[in-house]
Amino acid sequence: MLLAGAVAISVLGHLHVGFALTGAPPRGADRYAAGLACAALLAHLAVRFRAPYADPLLLPIAFLLNGLGLVLIQRLDATTPHHLAAADQLRWSGLGVALFVVAAAVLRDHRALQRYAYLAVAAGLVLMLVPVFFPPVNGAHIWIRFAGLSFQPGEFAKILLAVFFAAYLAANRTALALTGRRLFWRLRLLPGRVLGPVLAIWLLSVGMLVLERDLGTSLLFFGLFVIMLFTATGRTGWIAIGLALAALGAYAVGTLEPHVHSRVEDWLHPLASIERGEGPGQLAQSLFAFGAGGLLGAGLGHGQSFLIGFAAKSDFILATAGEELGLAGLTAILLLYGILVHRGFRAGLALRDPFGRLLATGLASIIALQVFGIAGGVTGLIPLTGMAMPFLAQGGSSVVTNWIIVALLVRLSDCARRPLPDEGAEGRG
Amino acid sequence: MIRHIRWCAWFCALLLAALLVNAARVQVWEAAAYRDNPANKRAAVERWARPRGDILVEGRPVTGSRDSRQLLRWERTYADGPLYAPVTGFASQTYGTSLLERAEDALLAGTDPGLTAFPVWYDLARGRPDGGNAETTLVAAVQQAGYTALEGKRGAVAALEPLTGRILALVSSPSYDPGELSGTGTAVTAAWTRLNEDPARPMLNRALHETYPPGSTFKVVTAAAALDAGVVTDVDAPTRTPDPYPLPGTRTLLPNAASGCEDASMADAVRWSCNTVMARIGVRVGLRGMAEAARRFGFNDAGLRVPAWVSRSNFDTDMSPDQLALSAIGQFNTKATPLQMARVAAAVASGGELPAPYLVERATRADGTQIRTGGRSGGSGRAMTPSTALRLQELMVGAVEDGTARNAAFAGAVVGGKTGTAQHGVGNAGTPYAWFIGWAKAEDEPLPGVAVAVVVEDASGDRGDISGNGAAAPIARAVMEAALRAGP
């Protein structure tokens, strides 16, 4: 039912954009609706048969967000006739759903992933390293261009690193929590033998990202690392150290690196470029868009968020949602993410194996941090870091990655809620 | 571990709460500030998102809109731009609006609350009714007659219907095409620069915004003041004025251009335009009487709107007697817009009522239903008594029949007029301004149908021709003929 609702909302949005912009339904709307419904049905059947106990909210929310993203991109396409993105995004979404179905069908038990922890980390590092050898796009070495398609392999690396962190921390949890020299009070230094590989990989990934100038992803990895370490060891001291390190790193990067420094300046004074007579910057345009939306929004197709220009469909997609759907629509979207993250954490709580718990926490945190990073960035709450709004933003690798995350969450929640004959129905769901 | 996952979940909930609070801050609290930021193009995009309402002359639009397919989508177009530019003004996406486009902007752009019966609904739905139309009082034939007769010389024509104040023609020359300024881009900025740097100042609306010394045409006001004040009771009685006339308190002698002004009556003084007689009458009326009469005729009023604003015409209220003498013949600091002098002629023609001139007859919605009408009943008050107006009508008819204004006469009409040749510039070295004010009554009509004022700045050619009768009266005749032919 919920899934049908999600599909219906997406199709209605699609039609609405067509009517608002041209006064006629968009061409091929019937095929669009049928395709979306087929994809939803396939995904539903996959879950129904391969993960019958999975959380029933995950798939509909993912579909709704993906559908809304397609609607918004299609709407922005109308203002950039020479740079259409909706069709590509639709293809990538199809691929994402297909991978979702495959993952749900093939992966019977998430614990199987635990065995591939080192393979995952190796693959993740390679994926992050490869784009360095490709020409930069918009100042960032995060793209691979191949046969006319472009990928952002760093997106996939997120999952791989989460899997590795979960597996490694689950295996060395006891050692991490209980050994090590005591510094003072409850703060204990972790044993280098255990922590070494984790730190090394983390430093490597962050270093690489700084080299590739992808601030958003590096911050995401850092946050993910701190959260998973805290969850695994339960040491509040690590939070303090993590935050201190983060603050220090942010300060250093913010003052030294000009690219980041300008982002911070933009955040502190979003309207400064107007006063200098250079016209509104991206963040100012984004704030204008949100402001123009007001409580109820201008209505789909009636806003002017395209004034943002560059990255309106990717990083700043939320500004279009804010302008055309208003605070009401924006709140609804953010709450959808909230429910998605909440369901992830609930699966983590209900699972009994440490690896599953850590993985669920990690995946939910990836979504939460990403949403906070980009939504906070475009609304001027925090400095802008290049992250993709999960499911909404234009970007093939991101959509596919998010579908895999949802597939993993479906699998994890299925395990969490599956009644165990030998242990009784402990997982409360 | 369970506890820590819960903590993480709470932390994420905190982040979500921060996002929502911040979104509300941006979208509700700061929304108005962002909306009003001049760098925010949304207002402009919305403003030009639909065709603007039109300005109509005799039911035919003289404006239009063109789909530019740019961000600011609909650009203004003008049919006959230079002819109507002194009325329409421009509506530019780069330089704002002027004249009627400015004064009726709310109507034309669709923001006037009168355009819809349900303004609250439009506010809620964020829609905007289609722009309304402004139907002007202009008569195309009269406008065209004035524009053609000026032949591109620097000058202006203002023609009114004396009883109602309807503006029949408002011509300024040389003119420009406001369509050149409509859009955005380098062509528009280049046109703007070129028009502003043009020494002929084509964008200056000479009929409304330029004030000229009215010269001898002001003698009509002086004569009215004298009659109303009782300083002159018999217009045909000799005034015992010397020629030349020594300005009071000085040794300066005021000469006459005309001959036979010594001891002339006021009737002859108007007919032959005797400076000496009228200057002395002005002095005899006195500063307070003259200033009061000028005020009643509409001078020193900075608040006139037609509905585009009109420059203030000046008559000094604090002067020495010699300055008053010069002011009484339309020199010194006396300045008037052509529209103001047309009102003076109209006041005489209408029997003493000063008309309130107006340009917009009706404001309608896009579908043609009327939302308001123009014009002010009762005009701007009484400029002189009806008997004074009757006397002045006779004097002005005399000036046309066998005085200085003979070139204004045409068949089938009774025409009253007064010429003027105003000195200006340092030491009066500038080419004099040629003036004519007057009115015309079709022979079979009981009341005058048109009052007109014409000023020509640079009557080229032979200097003897630079006079009200030579340069301005023929233009006025063409305009008045066109107005009477077009009928009420």
Side-chain angles (χ1 to χ4, degrees):
Chain A
M1 273 309 289
L2 285 171
L3 193 58
V7 171
I9 290 175
S10 303
V11 172
L12 278 180
H14 182 75
L15 289 173
H16 189 125
V17 166
F19 276 115
L21 294 175
T22 60
R27 261 177 300 152
D30 44 350
R31 275 182 296 139
Y32 179 86
L36 218 56
C38 275
L41 189 68
L42 271 177
H44 175 71
L45 290 177
V47 171
R48 190 79 193 77
F49 288 108
R50 306 299 291 194
Y53 300 103
D55 196 314
L57 279 181
L58 292 170
L59 188 61
I61 290 178
F63 249 100
L64 182 52
L65 288 171
N66 200 160
L68 275 177
L70 285 169
V71 167
L72 294 175
I73 291 168
Q74 174 212 357
R75 183 260 168 279
L76 286 171
D77 268 355
T79 64
T80 57
H82 305 295
H83 189 79
L84 302 178
D88 271 350
Q89 182 77 356
L90 187 61
R91 251 170 258 137
W92 281 109
S93 303
L95 181 64
V97 175
L99 282 177
F100 171 89
V101 171
V102 169
V106 170
L107 187 67
R108 301 305 307 271
D109 192 332
H110 62 274
R111 275 164 292 197
L113 290 174
Q114 210 165 354
R115 276 173 276 158
Y116 303 110
Y118 286 95
L119 188 65
V121 75
L125 291 179
V126 167
L127 280 178
M128 281 191 291
L129 203 59
V130 169
V132 178
F133 304 110
F134 283 81
V137 177
N138 308 318
H141 285 277
I142 53 175
W143 298 86
I144 296 180
R145 286 190 180 277
F146 175 73
L149 291 170
S150 48
F151 311 95
Q152 241 178 329
E155 291 283 340
F156 302 109
K158 278 188 270 197
I159 304 179
L160 295 172
L161 275 189
V163 168
F164 167 72
F165 282 151
Y168 189 83
L169 291 171
N172 299 291
R173 192 160 72 91
T174 332
L176 284 167
L178 301 174
T179 61
R181 270 181 297 145
R182 191 185 180 104
L183 280 181
F184 55 87
W185 190 46
R186 289 170 64 186
L187 198 61
R188 263 189 287 215
L189 201 63
L190 287 174
R193 194 171 45 82
V194 185
L195 193 59
V198 182
L199 263 183
I201 282 156
W202 173 73
L203 276 176
L204 209 62
S205 63
V206 170
M208 249 172 354
L209 288 167
V210 168
L211 280 182
E212 293 173 6
R213 295 193 162 201
D214 186 0
L215 185 69
T217 313
S218 94
L219 280 177
L220 178 65
F221 282 177
F222 188 86
L224 179 67
F225 177 69
V226 170
I227 283 184
M228 291 185 72
L229 198 57
F230 168 73
T231 312
T233 62
R235 292 199 178 176
T236 25
W238 284 109
I239 294 285
I241 291 176
L243 287 179
L245 268 178
L248 201 74
Y251 180 78
V253 174
T255 45
L256 297 178
E257 163 76 45
H259 174 69
V260 179
H261 181 69
S262 70
R263 292 279 180 87
V264 174
E265 283 298 310
D266 242 16
W267 166 59
L268 290 173
H269 313 286
L271 305 180
S273 66
I274 297 170
E275 284 149 24
R276 286 199 303 271
E278 294 164 9
Q282 266 186 313
L283 184 57
Q285 288 284 22
S286 169
L287 292 175
F288 288 163
F290 279 106
L295 265 182
L296 297 177
L300 272 177
H302 295 290
Q304 275 114 40
S305 54
F306 51 82
L307 289 171
I308 294 169
F310 173 69
K313 294 176 202 170
S314 47
D315 289 14
F316 288 93
I317 189 84
L318 205 61
T320 300
E323 174 161 7
E324 307 207 332
L325 307 176
L327 182 62
L330 184 64
T331 306
I333 289 175
L334 290 176
L335 286 179
L336 282 177
Y337 285 114
I339 296 171
L340 196 61
V341 172
H342 170 243
R343 292 282 152 167
F345 278 119
R346 249 172 86 158
L349 286 172
L351 278 165
R352 284 159 298 272
D353 67 304
F355 170 71
R357 281 176 175 174
L358 281 170
L359 186 58
T361 306
L363 294 176
S365 302
I366 287 179
I367 298 176
L369 290 175
Q370 230 172 307
V371 168
F372 180 74
I374 189 62
V378 296
T379 56
L381 182 62
I382 56 172
L384 196 60
T385 56
M387 291 190 199
M389 201 73 198
F391 289 115
L392 282 192
Q394 175 204 358
S397 341
S398 166
V399 166
V400 169
T401 307
N402 288 312
W403 273 112
I404 295 175
I405 290 179
V406 170
L408 289 177
L409 284 178
V410 161
R411 170 56 55 217
L412 287 165
S413 71
D414 178 57
C415 286
R417 294 152 64 102
R418 183 182 301 156
L420 293 179
D422 48 340
E423 289 180 36
E426 195 197 329
R428 292 179 287 122
Chain B
M1 199 187 247
I2 297 267
R3 196 160 49 100
H4 303 136
I5 294 178
R6 279 192 203 283
W7 283 19
C8 289
W10 279 114
F11 174 68
C12 291
L14 193 72
L15 294 185
L16 177 66
L19 281 183
L20 290 175
V21 168
N22 186 57
R25 175 186 72 92
V26 171
Q27 296 208 265
V28 180
W29 272 275
E30 294 182 357
Y34 290 135
R35 186 192 61 219
D36 297 336
N37 191 306
N40 192 344
K41 281 201 187 148
R42 279 177 179 70
V45 171
E46 191 179 353
R47 176 180 168 80
W48 301 104
R50 274 168 319 137
R52 201 169 154 81
D54 282 320
I55 296 173
L56 312 181
V57 172
E58 294 182 293
R60 259 179 349 101
V62 297
T63 59
S65 289
R66 184 176 70 82
D67 188 351
S68 70
R69 308 203 167 272
Q70 305 286 311
L71 181 59
L72 306 178
R73 189 163 163 196
W74 291 90
E75 274 176 16
R76 196 53 142 171
T77 59
Y78 296 89
D80 255 336
L83 175 62
Y84 291 108
V87 176
T88 59
F90 56 80
S92 165
Q93 295 174 347
T94 314
Y95 297 106
T97 51
S98 72
L99 297 168
L100 267 196
E101 295 274 26
R102 182 188 202 87
E104 293 291 351
D105 188 55
L107 171 75
L108 299 168
T111 54
D112 190 322
L115 285 170
T116 164
F118 311 104
V120 180
W121 165 250
Y122 275 99
D123 270 359
L124 207 66
R126 303 260 183 132
R128 222 193 232 195
D130 284 335
N133 296 332
E135 287 185 17
T136 64
T137 57
L138 293 186
V139 177
V142 183
Q143 180 82 7
Q144 186 69 56
Y147 186 73
T148 312
L150 269 171
E151 295 173 331
K153 287 178 280 203
R154 296 185 198 179
V157 175
L160 302 176
E161 199 172 77
L163 294 172
T164 57
R166 296 171 68 216
I167 297 176
L168 303 176
L170 206 59
V171 182
S172 177
S173 171
S175 193
Y176 70 106
D177 184 1
E180 284 188 276
L181 305 174
S182 290
T184 53
T186 50
V188 170
T189 47
W192 176 262
T193 313
R194 173 171 54 75
L195 290 171
N196 275 296
E197 285 173 354
D198 189 334
R201 299 169 74 200
M203 282 170 70
L204 171 66
N205 188 332
R206 292 175 160 85
L208 299 181
H209 297 157
E210 181 68 310
T211 56
Y212 300 92
S216 302
T217 58
F218 191 77
K219 288 171 184 168
V220 174
V221 178
T222 307
L227 287 168
D228 275 353
V231 170
V232 172
T233 46
D234 181 358
V235 293
D236 295 318
T239 53
R240 283 173 290 164
T241 312
D243 179 13
Y245 167 63
L247 292 178
T250 68
R251 287 156 178 261
T252 311
L253 293 175
L254 181 68
N256 276 314
S259 55
C261 285
E262 185 165 0
D263 204 19
S265 67
M266 192 167 84
D268 286 338
V270 170
R271 183 175 300 140
W272 300 109
S273 202
C274 294
N275 288 341
T276 50
V277 176
M278 298 312 294
R280 182 157 174 273
I281 287 175
V283 173
R284 284 172 61 205
V285 172
L287 178 62
R288 192 188 286 177
M290 281 302 295
E292 183 54 29
R295 188 194 60 76
R296 285 200 306 268
F297 271 94
F299 283 79
N300 296 344
D301 175 9
L304 184 62
R305 302 279 182 275
V306 293
W309 67 279
V310 182
S311 290
R312 173 180 180 274
S313 297
N314 182 66
F315 185 84
D316 273 6
T317 52
D318 186 13
M319 291 182 286
S320 61
D322 59 316
Q323 292 168 342
L324 175 60
L326 286 175
S327 295
I329 57 168
Q331 299 285 166
F332 189 56
N333 278 346
T334 307
K335 295 265 172 61
T337 60
L339 180 70
Q340 167 58 28
M341 292 318 288
R343 287 174 89 197
V344 169
V348 173
S350 71
E353 291 284 352
L354 183 70
Y358 67 96
L359 265 173
V360 179
E361 189 71 68
R362 284 178 355 123
T364 64
R365 299 196 183 104
D367 61 8
T369 53
Q370 178 171 311
I371 49 179
R372 60 185 150 83
T373 55
R376 199 185 326 162
S377 60
S380 303
R382 182 155 280 283
M384 62 197 132
T385 62
S387 61
T388 299
L390 272 178
R391 293 266 180 74
L392 286 177
Q393 285 179 13
E394 288 161 12
L395 298 189
M396 289 175 80
V397 170
V400 173
E401 280 178 350
D402 58 350
T404 54
R406 276 187 297 259
N407 281 345
F410 59 95
V414 179
V415 181
K418 182 75 198 80
T419 56
T421 307
Q423 308 289 328
H424 72 104
V426 179
N428 291 338
T431 313
Y433 297 135
W435 271 97
F436 179 91
I437 69 170
W439 46 266
K441 175 170 83 74
E443 269 168 355
D444 48 351
E445 294 283 336
L447 294 165
V450 59
V452 68
V454 176
V455 65
V456 181
E457 283 180 39
D458 57 346
S460 51
D462 157 31
R463 192 173 167 92
D465 201 36
I466 305 165
S467 64
N469 193 41
I475 297 171
R477 182 183 62 216
V479 170
M480 291 190 291
E481 267 193 290
L484 292 191
R485 210 176 305 128

